[in-house]
């Protein structure tokens, strides 16, 4: 287990608090009932919703697809931040983060089936997961590199074990050892 100072603990706590706050906001946005006269059927055909969005024009498609990408994108940064490790594999971190983002998105989509005016959309699942992956790839490796360099500079400033001791501080000898005493005869 890697050692972290108080700054590492603060980053993990801040990441956890921001993660919970973001999930509460996403839950409120995605799971509140809509007052609509009718509800379309669930979209279980991959890319059908994205194709329909693209047919609405560039501005509307950008708004809808961008919204799907941005909804869970902060998880790509907040999940590793709450984990707090800086010396991990980039690929392993990406896989764990994307898998967690996909599961959260799937949970939201499944919960929407029980909310009035909301239906499941497989394209939302894909866009949310892609947003998590993009945010992770754009932010986390660079931030971890900066944190590793900062940690290495701090380690270089610490005194090194094994440096010659001045003559006035020469050790007096080995510490005496006390033999073990049995408890029972």
């Amino acid at each position: 287990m890697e050692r972290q100072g108080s700054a590492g603990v603060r980053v993990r706590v801040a990441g956890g608090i921001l993660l919970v706050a973001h999930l509460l906001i996403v839950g409120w946005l995605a799971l509140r009932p809509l007052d609509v006269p009718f509800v379309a059927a669930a979209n279980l055909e991959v890319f059908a919703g994205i194709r329909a969005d693209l047919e609405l024009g560039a501005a509307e498609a950008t708004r809808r697809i961008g919204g799907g990408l941005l909804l869970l994108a902060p998880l790509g940064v907040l999940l590793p931040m709450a984990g707090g490790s800086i010396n991990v594999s980039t690929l392993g971190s990406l896989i764990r983060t994307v898998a967690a983002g996909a599961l959260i998105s799937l949970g939201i989509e499944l919960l929407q089936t029980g909310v009035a005016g909301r239906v499941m959309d497989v394209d939302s699942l894909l866009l949310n997961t892609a947003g998590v992956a993009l945010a992770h790839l754009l932010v986390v490796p660079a931030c971890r590199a900066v944190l590793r360099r900062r940690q290495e500079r701090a380690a270089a400033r610490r005194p090194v074990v094994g440096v010659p001791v001045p003559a006035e501080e020469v050790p007096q000898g080995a510490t005496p050892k006390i033999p073990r005493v049995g408890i029972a005869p």
Side-chain angles (χ1 to χ4, degrees), residues 8-185:
V9 171
R10 283 185 294 219
V11 168
R12 291 180 77 177
V13 169
I17 291 170
L18 290 172
L19 179 66
V20 169
H22 177 70
L23 289 175
L24 287 172
I25 291 169
V26 167
W28 179 77
L29 288 173
L31 299 175
R32 63 184 176 169
L34 296 178
D35 188 22
V36 293
F38 70 96
V39 177
N43 174 24
L44 300 178
E45 182 183 337
V46 179
F47 300 123
I50 294 173
R51 276 192 301 265
D53 291 342
L54 291 172
E55 291 173 1
L56 295 174
E60 187 64 19
T62 302
R63 189 184 71 74
R64 289 185 181 201
I65 294 172
L69 287 171
L70 293 176
L71 182 66
L72 293 182
L75 294 181
V77 177
L78 295 175
L79 287 170
M81 188 176 167
S85 295
I86 61 172
N87 296 320
V88 295
S89 160
T90 303
L91 180 62
S93 174
L94 176 67
I95 290 170
R96 282 190 303 273
T97 303
V98 170
L103 288 173
I104 291 170
S105 181
L106 179 63
I108 290 170
E109 291 297 323
L110 291 175
L111 286 172
Q112 282 182 341
T113 61
V115 178
R118 302 281 184 168
V119 294
M120 184 171 175
D121 185 3
V122 72
D123 291 333
S124 292
L125 177 69
L126 293 174
L127 289 172
N128 292 340
T129 304
V132 170
L134 286 172
H136 186 279
L137 287 172
L138 292 174
V139 176
V140 174
C143 288
R144 281 191 175 142
V146 168
L147 291 172
R148 277 193 294 268
R149 281 194 300 274
R150 187 179 296 166
Q151 189 179 44
E152 289 167 2
R153 282 195 304 263
R157 289 192 298 259
R158 282 191 221 118
V160 179
V161 177
V163 173
V165 180
E168 65 270 0
E169 296 180 25
V170 175
Q172 300 298 315
T175 304
K177 295 185 180 178
I178 301 171
R180 292 194 176 252
V181 178
I183 295 176

